[in-house]
Each structure stands twice: as structure tokens, then as C-alpha cells.
Amino acid sequence: MDLRRWLDEAVTANETWSRTFGQVTPHPSLRIDDERFGAAFDLFSERLRDNFPFFHPRYAGQMLKPPHPAAVVGYLSAMLINPNNHALDGGPATAAMEREVVARLAAMFGLDTHLGHLTTSGTIANLEALFVARELHPDRGVAYSAEAHYTHSRMCGVLGIEGHPVPVDGRGAMDLDALEELLRAGRVGTVVLTAGTTALGTVDPIHEALALRERYGVRIHVDAAYGGFFTLLAGSDGPEGLPEEPWRAIAQCDSVVVDPHKHGLQPYGCGAVLFRDPAVGRFYLHDSPYTYFTSEELHLGEISLECSRAGAAAAALWLTFQLLPPTRDGLGQVLAAGRRAAVRWAELIEESEHLDLYQRPELDIVGYFPVTEPATLSRIDAASARILQDGMADAEDPVFVSTLRVGAEAMAARHPKIAQDADGARILRSVLMKPESEDYVDHLHQRLEQLAQRTDL
């Protein structure tokens, strides 16, 4: 699509709509001439150059990529109106769009019934899920994997409830035996399972944990902020296919969080929280005599902790879903490319003399480290740090990765021959969430091998 054309169409459509209410002369206090704006914009453009190339497949560092052009056009179109999806009075059109996209997300996870809304981030979405957990079990805490995102520990502190980190197994997933031992004490009311950890994309055994819910009467919340859209690949054929069981089990869990601003091709911030039981809406009950006055329908602000929220975020996601719906043949094809890239790179690393695979990728995140002599944690740590810096500093053919610190015990479980002369080491980590990575991964591998071959540590 021609982004310039449709951005112009967005401005024109807004002007046409605005004129139906009569001409308005801009107030003198808001007027800025083009020459003055041009000077400010030149400075602004120069400042924006101080960024990494998130759009390019040579950037494989963090969970960052530009939004789809359709999302940009949708966001801009609504932003010119600037609706607030807290209340129907503030954003009737975008509130309706939000309900529609949330329903599509619920259908993607197989939820028959749901209550949910968009949020400004996965952090806030998880806060809302844990808030409901506290209201349902005010005298019990929350259990989460030791590899779960730090937001769960932090939000337990915010909510004043006890958090219980649970040890992980050899692939970094929650150890269900350790979880059951914790549940026997009766101090946990909600278990958080992760569908795609931030570190390596590990998926907890959600389907196996359901039995513990019935046995101990706990709730199960799924943090699928990063990995949620990969449910579209569950049971697919080919290298991108994923096991069905954990993804299908999400439909039986009590709540789930997903971030469209990650694999949903949206600009920041756009998260979402969904509850299987709409009755939990009672915990949000409040009165706002100056807000809810044009409709007897449920306002989105009546089922969210946040107040003002950008209606433009809902508009952007709605327009994107018209073109790339959250289905296997739609958005699923975008994720499939990144997944295939990760599988391909893992195979290349396994064949390499200069790089070693930390563990097989489960989604589209690859963890690996340079081969060193001797093979010690301290040497791996130093070599990984050097590769990170050298890759970014190369002016002709830069490559951007990230590092991940792993403990000595975790490394020993996967690579027992590496000498433990330190308590841990940094390894290399690459996120292949851009579909263009599929055609670029061979070059990425070649560059990382070149960087790893340097011996002047």
C-alpha cells in the first residue's frame, strides 16, 4: 500500500467530516507559520536519527518493529479526532471498534464468553488480571514462574498481595511439581502461566496445569503478552507449526493478556486483557456522574482500571484486522515467517563451529553463544559482550542483537561441559519478529559467525 497516499486521504477525510459541522477559524494562539515549524521539524528529524533501525531485519535485538502502514493510517485518522475510549461520550465510533477487535481476540483464543478491553500495555493488562485475582481471593497470593516477566512480582507489590516465584524446568518452563508443592500450602489463589517468556519465548505447560486448578481451586491467568498471537500457528503443518495442547488450553483459563503492539503490528501502546467470566466486571463498579451520560450501554471505562485511553489505538487495530485478520491465513502468515526464520537459524547454529545453540527456539526468539577456548562461563560472557558491541559499531554492515544473562545452573542443565568459573554468563539473544527476517537470516548468521571468530577477547 502507498503510505503517503493514504496518509493524505486520512487528512482529507478528516477535513471533509469536520466541515459538516461548519467552518471554524483557528485561534491565533495556535497559529504557527511553516518557516518556524520547518526549523523545529528539522531539529526534530535530526533527533529521531538517534535510533536503531527497528524496521530492518538486521535489527534482531529486542521486541521492536514498526507498525503496519494500515495501523499508521488508522491511528492517524482517529488521532485527528482524538477520541477517548473511556466513555461512549468520548469515543462512540472507536469504542464500537474496540469491542469488535476484543471480540476477535477472544475468538482467536477460543473463548466462548468474555469480558475485556484494550489497555496501554501488557503491564497494565496484567495488573488488571491480578487486580481481579485479588478481589476473588483477597487472602491468597499469586504464583508465577521464575522466568515470568518481572511485571508480576512488581504488580503483586502494587496490589499488596504475596507473590510466589516458582522454579523452572530444563527448558525454562514452570515446574509443575514445584507448583503443586506450593499449592498444597493453600496460600495461592491464582497461578500465572506464560505463553512465550520475554527471555526465550518459552511456553509454560498450560494444558497440564489445568488439572491443578481443579485439584486446588485456584484461578489460572495466562500472560500471552508476547506469544499470544502464536496460537494461530497451533497445529499448523511445516516448520512453523506449534503443538496444539497449550494453546487450545487457554480457552479454559480464567483470563489472558495479549499485546497487539508486539505481533499484532500495532504502534505502542496497545495491550489487551480478556476474562472468561463476564461477571468479574462487578469488581470495576464505580460511579462517575460527569462521564457516563449519553448511553445506557456499558461504557469501556466501567470495566477497566485505566480512565483515558486513546481511541486511536482501537481504530488502528480495527483497520489492521480488516486486512490482516487474527486468523491462520491472515496474521498467522506474518508470524509463520518469523517462526520459520528462528527454526532455520537454530539449524545453522547447530552446524556452526563458532556458535552454539543455547536451546531450541519455541517461538521466534533464538538464544545462542560464541564457542570459546576454553569453554568457560567467563569467556562466553566476555565474548558475547564483545560481539554485541562490535556488531552495532560496524558502520558498513551492522547487526543488532541483545544479550541475556543466564545462571550457571541453567547453563549446566543445557551444556554440562562448560566450566562454571562464574555464577552466570551473558549469552546472545535475537528476536526474529519481523517477517523479513526469513529472507535475511542467512546473512545474520554469517555476520554473527564472522564476529564470533575474532579471538582478541
Side-chain angles (χ1 to χ4, degrees), residues 2-57:
D2 185 343
L3 180 60
R4 291 178 184 272
R5 171 193 169 186
W6 292 109
L7 288 176
D8 184 67
E9 289 280 356
V11 174
T12 300
N14 178 264
E15 291 172 343
T16 301
W17 172 78
S18 298
R19 283 196 295 268
T20 64
F21 295 93
Q23 191 66 35
V24 176
T25 302
H27 193 273
S29 65
L30 300 175
R31 291 177 186 162
I32 299 173
D33 63 60
D34 284 339
E35 183 177 351
R36 184 182 169 202
F37 179 80
F41 189 77
D42 287 345
L43 177 60
F44 171 75
S45 298
E46 185 61 32
R47 293 289 295 270
L48 278 183
R49 293 177 65 86
D50 185 22
N51 265 308
F52 297 118
F54 306 129
F55 70 95
H56 199 286

Side-chain angles (χ1 to χ4, degrees), residues 39-289:
F41 189 77
D42 287 345
L43 177 60
F44 171 75
S45 298
E46 185 61 32
R47 293 289 295 270
L48 278 183
R49 293 177 65 86
D50 185 22
N51 265 308
F52 297 118
F54 306 129
F55 70 95
H56 199 286
R58 72 169 66 247
Y59 180 87
Q62 303 292 353
M63 298 167 172
L64 290 163
K65 65 179 179 181
H68 192 277
V72 174
V73 174
Y75 200 101
L76 174 67
S77 299
M79 184 184 66
L80 292 171
I81 302 170
N82 203 25
N84 180 350
N85 271 21
H86 176 66
L88 292 174
D89 321 300
T94 51
M97 291 180 185
E98 180 166 343
R99 287 176 176 155
E100 291 176 32
V101 297
V102 168
R104 298 194 82 164
L105 291 173
M108 180 181 78
F109 288 117
L111 295 172
D112 294 328
T113 59
H114 73 277
L115 180 78
H117 58 89
L118 300 182
T119 65
T120 53
S121 67
T123 299
I124 297 300
N126 278 309
L127 171 63
E128 297 217 15
L130 297 188
F131 161 72
V132 168
R134 186 194 67 181
E135 298 304 293
L136 285 166
H137 297 294
D139 57 341
R140 289 191 274 172
V142 173
Y144 44 82
S145 159
E147 294 290 322
H149 196 277
Y150 66 84
T151 188
H152 299 292
S153 173
R154 176 179 288 180
M155 292 308 151
C156 282
V158 169
L159 292 165
I161 54 180
E162 191 174 13
H164 302 271
V166 179
V168 297
D169 62 18
R171 65 181 180 91
M174 182 183 283
D175 184 329
L176 294 189
D177 290 334
L179 173 63
E180 183 163 19
E181 184 177 347
L182 175 63
L183 295 181
R184 289 193 188 104
R187 295 166 57 192
V188 171
T190 295
V191 175
V192 176
L193 299 171
T194 303
T197 58
T198 307
L200 291 168
T202 301
V203 180
D204 284 339
I206 302 168
H207 53 302
E208 296 176 8
L210 289 174
L212 297 179
R213 178 180 65 178
E214 306 307 320
R215 194 175 305 156
Y216 295 98
V218 295
R219 301 178 72 256
I220 292 185
H221 167 61
V222 178
D223 179 0
Y226 184 74
F229 284 99
F230 279 96
T231 190
L232 299 173
L233 302 183
S236 293
D237 296 327
E240 70 270 24
L242 298 172
E244 288 191 84
E245 294 82 3
W247 302 100
R248 300 292 177 252
I250 293 176
Q252 301 174 57
C253 296
D254 296 283
S255 54
V256 59
V257 158
V258 65
D259 274 356
H261 64 216
K262 291 191 172 74
H263 284 101
L265 306 178
Q266 299 306 292
Y268 289 107
C270 186
V273 59
L274 301 102
F275 298 96
R276 187 161 59 97
D277 180 8
V280 302
R282 68 188 184 277
F283 298 121
Y284 292 96
L285 186 64
H286 67 279
D287 183 35
S288 180

Side-chain angles (χ1 to χ4, degrees), residues 200-382:
L200 291 168
T202 301
V203 180
D204 284 339
I206 302 168
H207 53 302
E208 296 176 8
L210 289 174
L212 297 179
R213 178 180 65 178
E214 306 307 320
R215 194 175 305 156
Y216 295 98
V218 295
R219 301 178 72 256
I220 292 185
H221 167 61
V222 178
D223 179 0
Y226 184 74
F229 284 99
F230 279 96
T231 190
L232 299 173
L233 302 183
S236 293
D237 296 327
E240 70 270 24
L242 298 172
E244 288 191 84
E245 294 82 3
W247 302 100
R248 300 292 177 252
I250 293 176
Q252 301 174 57
C253 296
D254 296 283
S255 54
V256 59
V257 158
V258 65
D259 274 356
H261 64 216
K262 291 191 172 74
H263 284 101
L265 306 178
Q266 299 306 292
Y268 289 107
C270 186
V273 59
L274 301 102
F275 298 96
R276 187 161 59 97
D277 180 8
V280 302
R282 68 188 184 277
F283 298 121
Y284 292 96
L285 186 64
H286 67 279
D287 183 35
S288 180
Y290 50 82
T291 303
Y292 311 125
F293 58 86
T294 64
S295 174
E296 295 300 320
E297 292 184 49
L298 184 69
H299 297 255
L300 291 166
E302 295 180 272
I303 56 166
S304 67
L305 293 181
E306 293 179 275
C307 293
S308 297
R309 291 181 303 107
L317 186 56
W318 187 91
L319 184 56
T320 304
F321 278 180
Q322 301 308 299
L323 306 160
L324 292 167
T327 61
R328 183 173 297 181
D329 293 332
L331 198 54
Q333 295 305 303
V334 179
L335 279 87
R339 170 72 183 138
R340 287 193 297 265
V343 172
R344 165 68 176 164
W345 199 358
E347 292 171 349
L348 291 172
I349 292 171
E350 287 180 322
E351 297 169 358
S352 174
E353 297 179 0
H354 307 289
L355 298 171
D356 208 341
L357 190 66
Y358 180 68
Q359 69 178 43
R360 296 286 301 175
E362 295 188 33
L363 300 180
D364 58 1
I365 302 175
V366 184
Y368 53 103
F369 56 92
V371 174
T372 64
E373 183 58 45
T376 65
L377 289 175
S378 62
R379 298 280 287 185
I380 290 170
D381 181 83

Side-chain angles (χ1 to χ4, degrees), residues 411-434:
M411 180 66 88
R414 296 163 174 83
H415 300 275
K417 294 183 179 180
I418 292 175
Q420 297 188 30
D421 63 340
D423 61 359
R426 283 168 290 182
I427 65 169
L428 299 167
R429 168 180 171 271
S430 291
V431 181
L432 304 180
M433 66 188 306
K434 292 182 285 289

